[in-house]
Amino acid sequence: MRRPILTANWKMHKTRAQAAAFVTVLREQLGHTTEVDVVIAAPFTSLAAVHEGLLGSEIALAAQNVCAEAEGAFTGEISPAMLADAGCHYCIVGHSERRALYGEQDAEISRKAAALLGVGIRPIVCVGETLEEREADRTADIVASQLAGSLTDVETAAIGELVVAYEPVWAIGTGHTATPEQAQEVHLLIRARLRERFGASGADIRIQYGGSVKPENVVAIMAQPDIDGALVGGASLAPDSFAKIVRYESQENRAT
Ligand code: PEP
């Protein structure tokens, strides 16, 4: 049984005070959420504030990036052990913005994922095609290739801790959500590749969808059989909007 996982990706937003205020309101709105995993991926500078605000709750803390190296002369970088020390239980790796803007390649993403697993942090490994690639009918090839390359260093024994996020680049921050059927088609493909790579237990790996998820579309997206969660950017910046997404199963949300 794959437990749903809803992740807020704040990207480069929020000061420490804004982050703390968000957490206070989110906790008030969610109460004790036990049916789904809720994760907040905060900027490095807000990790401590969010960690403190989350004490005593089941909401998990995530970082948005990490260095694959353990320690040393890597100015400006943050190691997996530092993230663990800061209270992170998850970390996004290979987000399309890091691939496109900072030249991150599959091999490096794979090393980051393995390094995170080595310190007990669950990597959320992102894959997804651009609009150009989709229009050229290359979605399946691109996603399969990114997935294989980004998981090369991940050992089968660790896959219980692995999360994959399918994020079509054309749907991120654009308001153009993939239809639930388009997303399901790619999730099914990812599921098949995970089984090939890791054997039958590959079917247990959770796959999140990301790309303009909001309260209005989350119910239809989460209804797809191979979609196990959402990675949410813009709509995660306000606590009430993210709380609605987390409570996607509630009647109130179905009515919106
Ligand atoms: C993201 O940040 O991964 C994302 C999917 O952003 P948005 O929800 O704004 O499209």
Side-chain angles (χ1 to χ4, degrees), residues 6 9 14 17 34 70 88 100 112 130 133 136 155 157 160 164 189 197 218 226 230 252:
L6 288 307
N9 175 18
K14 297 194 190 295
T34 51
C88 292
K112 290 182 177 190
T130 62
E133 289 161 348
E155 292 176 13
V164 171
L189 178 149
R197 168 77 170 76
V218 65
D226 288 289
E252 167 220 349

Side-chain angles (χ1 to χ4, degrees), residues 125-147:
V125 178
C126 302
V127 296
E129 82 287 0
T130 62
L131 184 59
E132 199 180 18
E133 289 161 348
R134 175 162 280 263
E135 287 178 345
D137 215 11
R138 295 177 58 215
T139 299
D141 288 348
I142 295 292
V143 169
S145 149
Q146 286 181 352
L147 193 68

Side-chain angles (χ1 to χ4, degrees), residues 9 11 95 97 167 171-174 210-213 231-235:
N9 175 18
K11 310 193 187 193
H95 191 281
E97 286 152 17
E167 298 208 301
I172 299 178
T174 59
S212 299
V213 173
L231 181 51
V232 187

Side-chain angles (χ1 to χ4, degrees), residues 52-175:
E52 194 182 322
L54 292 180
L55 288 175
S57 88
E58 292 186 357
I59 302 170
L61 180 66
Q64 302 171 13
N65 187 28
V66 69
C67 179
E69 307 299 332
E71 192 173 52
F74 302 99
T75 301
E77 295 294 317
I78 306 281
S79 75
M82 289 171 180
L83 293 184
D85 183 51
C88 292
H89 287 103
Y90 293 84
C91 180
I92 299 170
V93 289
H95 191 281
S96 67
E97 286 152 17
R98 298 221 53 90
R99 290 177 185 264
L101 302 174
Y102 301 98
E104 282 194 19
Q105 307 279 329
D106 292 335
E108 186 186 0
I109 293 161
S110 168
R111 290 182 57 238
K112 290 182 177 190
L116 287 166
L117 288 165
V119 299
I121 296 179
R122 297 172 166 171
I124 300 175
V125 178
C126 302
V127 296
E129 82 287 0
T130 62
L131 184 59
E132 199 180 18
E133 289 161 348
R134 175 162 280 263
E135 287 178 345
D137 215 11
R138 295 177 58 215
T139 299
D141 288 348
I142 295 292
V143 169
S145 149
Q146 286 181 352
L147 193 68
S150 304
L151 299 179
T152 312
D153 300 280
V154 173
E155 292 176 13
T156 305
I159 60 167
E161 309 302 313
L162 179 67
V163 179
V164 171
Y166 167 57
E167 298 208 301
V169 177
W170 48 272
I172 299 178
T174 59

